[in-house]
Structure formats: C-alpha cells, structure tokens
C-alpha cells in the first residue's frame, strides 16, 4: 500500500464548477499537508499548506485536513480554464531530524470553457 | 527576485555515463532538496541539504550523490546512468529546514539512451 493515494484522473469539469480533489494517506505521523499545482513540463507550484487538522482558505482555494480519517481535500471554486493542470498533494512527517516529503501521483484537471 | 533556477534545462546521456545537475536556490534560502519525477508520477525525494550538510536521503542507490556549496547552491550527481534514470529532476528551496513551504525550480529533463 502506498503511503499517499491520489486518483490520477483525468477530471474534466465545465468552467465555473466547484472542483474537489482528494488524497488519502496511511502514515499517521504526517503533520504538514501541502497542495501543489503543476503545469505541463513545469516544476510544481506551492498552492497551500496546512498543519494538522482543519481548514484553510486562500482566494478560490480551500484546503481541508481530516487526520482522524487520514483524508485531505482541495476545493477550487469558480474554476477557470487556467486552472487546468495536475494537482499534487504532498505530506511530511519529522523523521530523524528532518521532514521527508511524500507526494501523491497527481490528479490531472481539465476545465472546459 | 529570481526564483529557483536549474541548469541545464535538458540533457541527453547514454547508459553508463555520469551527469551533474545544478541548482541555485531563492536568495536567502538555506535548504535545497532534490526530487526525481518520472513521467506520470509524483516527485520522489532524493536528498535534502541544509546549511551545507546532508539532512535527509530518500530510497535511491549510492550512484546518486549531492552537495551544497557555501553560497547554498547545490549539485546532484548521478553515476553509471541507467535507462530508468530518465526523468525530470527537480530542485526545491526553502528558507529553513522545514519543507512545508518549499519552492520548486523548473527542473532538468534527463533522457538516458
């Protein structure tokens, strides 16, 4: 079983829709939860990070963490064609004095005009 | 301010050769991490360097090595290249040792023939 599971998609939605992206994980030691956006042939771009459980909002993006269920989500409101990209979840736990970051496989999102 | 820069952008090598990839972090950032991203997968952690010392290593063979220089730039070296080493190699920098707010460069795309 992978430490981080993420549906690779692709996920196609019409412009303006609310998008829900999710990851599950098995390592209860994970403390930081991040979401990255990666456009084709580019490096990942940090969107948001949260520590432990709870919600965090930034503009059209909302990140949720439920540690009891080992489940994290990213919601995108009023989705735009420019949001079309691969979305990577990532998690880190302190191990031996440093934080090893583990990524999901990424979900490919296409927003159709 | 310039973001994380990596060189070269693309590289073609043959099996058995050696390769050196370079990374310059965001000004003021003291931590550099290296990741390998195979097509269709999420980034896999290779190394983290903080204050010029190795602080973490992922599950990669000893053919992979790295170092960080006094100006915090970094090199990733891979010896005895295999076909399976073909991937996008990403460098990420963060201000301190924590990787929850790391910023990625555009990557070096390595093709091993």
């Amino acid at each position: 079983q992978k430490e981080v599971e993420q549906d690779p998609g692709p996920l196609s939605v019409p412009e303006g829709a609310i998008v829900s992206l999710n990851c599950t994980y098995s390592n209860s030691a994970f403390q930081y939860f991040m979401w990255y956006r990666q456009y084709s042939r580019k490096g990942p771009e940090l969107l948001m990070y949260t520590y432990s459980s709870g919600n965090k909002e930034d503009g059209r993006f909302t990140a949720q963490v439920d540690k009891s269920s080992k489940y994290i989500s990213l919601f995108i409101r009023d989705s735009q064609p420019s949001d079309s990209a691969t979305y990577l979840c990532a998690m880190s736990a302190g191990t031996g004095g440093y934080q090893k970051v583990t990524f999901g496989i990424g979900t490919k999102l296409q927003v159709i005009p | 301010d310039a973001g994380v820069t990596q060189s070269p952008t693309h590289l073609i090598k043959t099996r058995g050769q050696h390769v050196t990839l370079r990374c310059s972090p965001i000004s003021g950032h003291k931590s550099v991490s290296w990741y390998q991203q195979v097509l269709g997968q999420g980034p896999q952690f290779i190394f983290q360097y903080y204050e010029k010392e190795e602080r973490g290593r992922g599950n990669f063979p000893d053919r992979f090595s790295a170092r960080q220089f006094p100006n915090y730039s970094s090199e990733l070296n891979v010896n005895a290249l295999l076909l399976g080493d073909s991937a996008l190699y990403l460098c990420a920098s963060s201000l301190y040792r924590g990787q929850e707010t790391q910023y990625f460069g555009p990557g070096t795309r390595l093709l091993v023939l």
Side-chain angles (χ1 to χ4, degrees):
Chain A
Q1 182 188 9
K2 290 184 178 180
E3 276 191 298
V4 179
E5 300 276 2
Q6 184 175 14
D7 186 336
L11 177 64
S12 292
V13 301
E15 183 176 354
I18 296 174
V19 176
S20 173
L21 303 166
N22 311 293
C23 289
T24 59
Y25 62 95
S26 58
N27 186 349
S28 57
F30 285 140
Q31 298 173 303
Y32 288 93
F33 304 89
M34 290 76 77
W35 285 96
Y36 288 85
R37 177 174 62 195
Q38 187 173 26
Y39 292 111
S40 181
R41 309 185 79 80
K42 301 288 186 182
E45 171 193 359
L46 178 66
L47 289 174
M48 303 178 69
Y49 80 93
T50 53
Y51 175 73
S52 194
S53 286
N55 295 357
K56 188 173 184 178
E57 187 174 321
D58 185 1
R60 296 185 296 112
F61 298 91
T62 299
Q64 287 186 352
V65 174
D66 182 350
K67 291 192 74 176
S68 63
S69 301
K70 296 188 176 67
Y71 187 89
I72 71 169
S73 300
L74 178 71
F75 298 94
I76 307 174
R77 291 183 298 280
D78 188 24
S79 56
Q80 302 296 309
S82 59
D83 294 328
S84 298
T86 296
Y87 288 79
L88 296 154
C89 64
M91 310 176 189
S92 68
T95 306
Y98 77 99
Q99 295 172 325
K100 174 191 170 187
V101 179
T102 303
F103 281 81
I105 195 172
T107 299
K108 188 170 185 178
L109 171 68
Q110 184 179 20
V111 180
I112 303 167
Chain B
D1 282 343
V4 177
T5 58
Q6 292 185 245
S7 62
T9 55
H10 295 82
L11 205 51
I12 299 175
K13 292 286 189 178
T14 56
R15 281 178 298 176
Q17 284 189 313
H18 162 270
V19 68
T20 297
L21 310 180
R22 296 178 175 83
C23 170
S24 292
I26 292 171
S27 177
H29 283 196
K30 299 181 179 181
S31 173
V32 169
S33 297
W34 287 95
Y35 293 82
Q36 180 195 66
Q37 187 176 24
V38 174
L39 193 64
Q41 302 292 320
Q44 296 291 313
F45 173 75
I46 309 176
F47 287 111
Q48 185 196 19
Y49 276 78
Y50 176 69
E51 289 285 15
K52 292 151 281 185
E53 290 187 15
E54 181 183 306
R55 303 290 182 166
R57 173 187 283 257
N59 295 326
F60 281 81
D62 291 343
R63 298 185 297 108
F64 288 77
S65 63
R67 55 180 176 168
Q68 187 177 33
F69 299 99
N71 66 353
Y72 301 107
S73 67
S74 178
E75 280 183 357
L76 176 69
N77 295 284
V78 187
N79 293 323
L81 285 167
L82 303 174
L83 297 180
D85 294 331
S86 296
L88 179 67
Y89 287 85
L90 295 161
C91 171
S93 77
S94 56
L95 190 57
Y96 301 114
R97 205 154 92 177
Q99 295 168 288
E100 66 275 9
T101 52
Q102 59 184 346
Y103 298 90
F104 283 84
T108 293
R109 194 163 295 277
L110 173 65
L111 178 61
V112 182
L113 300 175

